[in-house]
Amino acid sequence: MKKGYGGGMGMPGNMQNLMKQAQRMQRQMEEQQKEIEAKEFTGTAGGGAVTAVMDGKKTLTKITIDPETLDPEDVETLEELIMLAVNDASAKVNEASEAIYGGMAGGLGAGLGGFGL
C-alpha cells in the first residue's frame, strides 16, 4: 500500500475528507434552501403604495394596493408600481439565496485550496 492512501480504498485520505466536507456542505445548503422557501419576502414600491409578497420559491402570494393609488386616468403608474414591488420581492429572495450559496462556495474553496477552485 502506498503512503498517503487511507483505508486501502485507493483514495487519498485528503480526498476522502474533501468528499465528506462537500457532502456535509450540500446537506447544509439543502436545509438552508428549505428555510428560504418557507419564508415570505415583501417588496414595496411608491413608498408602500404597492406591496408584493412572495415565497422563497418566487411564487407571488399576495399583492396589496393602496386604494388612493388607483387612478383610472393613470393605469400605467399603477402597472409600474406593481412591477417594481414584485421585482423588489424577487431581489430579496435572490439575496437570501446568494447568502447561502456564496458562503458555501467560499467554505468549499478554502477546503480545496490546492485545486485552484
Side-chain angles (χ1 to χ4, degrees):
M1 182 160 73
K2 294 181 180 179
K3 278 188 170 184
Y5 286 82
M9 300 294 291
M11 185 180 289
N14 237 5
M15 185 61 99
Q16 287 177 340
N17 289 339
L18 288 173
M19 293 295 288
K20 286 179 185 179
Q21 180 182 3
Q23 290 170 345
R24 188 171 42 250
M25 289 174 67
Q26 181 178 2
R27 281 191 302 273
Q28 289 173 343
M29 285 173 50
E30 289 169 356
E31 289 171 13
Q32 290 176 330
Q33 184 62 40
K34 286 179 186 176
E35 289 176 19
I36 286 176
E37 290 174 359
K39 289 183 180 181
E40 286 189 338
F41 297 86
T42 302
T44 60
V50 175
T51 302
V53 179
M54 120 181 344
D55 65 21
K57 294 180 183 179
K58 291 190 177 180
T59 300
L60 191 61
T61 59
K62 183 177 182 181
I63 292 269
T64 305
I65 301 170
D66 181 350
E68 292 184 22
T69 307
L70 300 174
D71 179 359
E73 301 297 319
D74 190 11
V75 174
E76 292 164 351
T77 297
L78 179 58
E79 291 170 341
E80 185 173 331
L81 290 173
I82 292 169
M83 180 185 65
L84 291 170
V86 170
N87 287 341
D88 186 37
S90 178
K92 290 177 181 177
V93 175
N94 289 343
E95 288 171 15
S97 293
E98 287 173 12
I100 290 174
Y101 295 114
M104 291 294 175
L108 185 60
L112 297 175
F115 293 97
L117 297 175

